[in-house]
C-alpha cells in the first residue's frame, strides 16, 4: 500500500518526498543525483514534480512484481 500524495501539490519538496517514501534525505538526494527521480531546481529550491514521484513509485512496483 502506498502513501497518498498531497493532491493539491504539483511539485513536492525533498522533505515531502522523504515523508511519502519514508526514506532519508541522503537516499532521496541519491535518487535525484542518479536521475531515478527527476527533479527541477528553481534558484536554490529543489522540487520533485508529483507526477515524477508517481512514475517512480509505479516503476519500482513493476520491478518488484
Amino acid at each position: 500500500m502506498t502513501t497518498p500524495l498531497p493532491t493539491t501539490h504539483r511539485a513536492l519538496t525533498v522533505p515531502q518526498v522523504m515523508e511519502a517514501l519514508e526514506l532519508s534525505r541522503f537516499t532521496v538526494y541519491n535518487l535525484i543525483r542518479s536521475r531515478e527521480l527527476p527533479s527541477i531546481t528553481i534558484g536554490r529550491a529543489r522540487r520533485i514534480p508529483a507526477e515524477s514521484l508517481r512514475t517512480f513509485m509505479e516503476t519500482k512496483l513493476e520491478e518488484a512484481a
Side-chain angles (χ1 to χ4, degrees):
M1 183 173 197
T2 59
T3 304
L5 299 175
T7 57
T8 58
H9 294 70
R10 289 189 173 178
L12 305 167
T13 64
V14 170
Q16 288 172 318
V17 173
M18 290 168 50
E19 184 179 335
L21 298 178
E22 296 183 11
L23 295 173
S24 69
R25 177 179 297 272
F26 179 80
T27 302
V28 172
Y29 275 110
N30 273 346
L31 291 170
I32 291 169
R33 215 173 287 113
S34 69
R35 299 180 190 248
E36 286 186 75
L37 184 60
S39 69
I40 57 173
T41 304
I42 303 169
R44 291 179 46 142
R46 175 76 63 174
R47 296 292 180 264
I48 297 88
E51 190 58 38
S52 294
L53 183 56
R54 283 187 195 89
T55 301
F56 171 79
M57 292 169 61
E58 289 170 1
T59 301
K60 290 299 180 184
L61 285 170
E62 288 173 7
E63 289 174 4

